[in-house]
Amino acid sequence: AVRLSPGDPQTQYAAAAALEDSFEPGDYERSLEHYQRAAELAPHDHRLWLELGRAYDRRGESEKAEAAMRYALS
């Protein structure tokens, strides 16, 4: 779906969520890339920024997580 609609933030989000639940090597990292892209494509959608913040938090990147969540609140 991402290949058909790379500029759709919801498609990027769906790919991120699916990859996050995968057990394949490298999929967790690819998941974060899709969360980042989704947030970039929809800068005013607070839900995507919250998910990006959670993804950073799960990776232990607390500063980036806090920044994304603060952006979501603004």
Side-chain angles (χ1 to χ4, degrees):
V2 172
R3 280 186 239 143
L4 293 174
S5 187
D8 182 5
Q10 292 303 316
T11 303
Q12 295 289 336
Y13 171 77
L19 288 168
E20 193 171 46
D21 292 335
S22 170
F23 293 106
E24 295 296 318
D27 280 356
Y28 197 69
E29 292 298 319
R30 289 179 41 220
S31 171
L32 179 61
E33 292 171 11
H34 285 287
Y35 279 126
Q36 290 168 331
R37 183 75 176 127
E40 290 170 3
L41 289 169
H44 302 293
D45 188 337
H46 69 279
R47 296 167 298 176
L48 297 176
W49 284 93
L50 286 173
E51 289 300 322
L52 177 59
R54 288 185 187 120
Y56 279 132
D57 187 53
R58 286 188 290 273
R59 289 189 62 209
E61 296 185 42
S62 58
E63 289 180 19
K64 288 182 179 180
E66 183 178 347
M69 291 184 179
R70 286 187 184 278
Y71 187 87
L73 289 171
S74 68

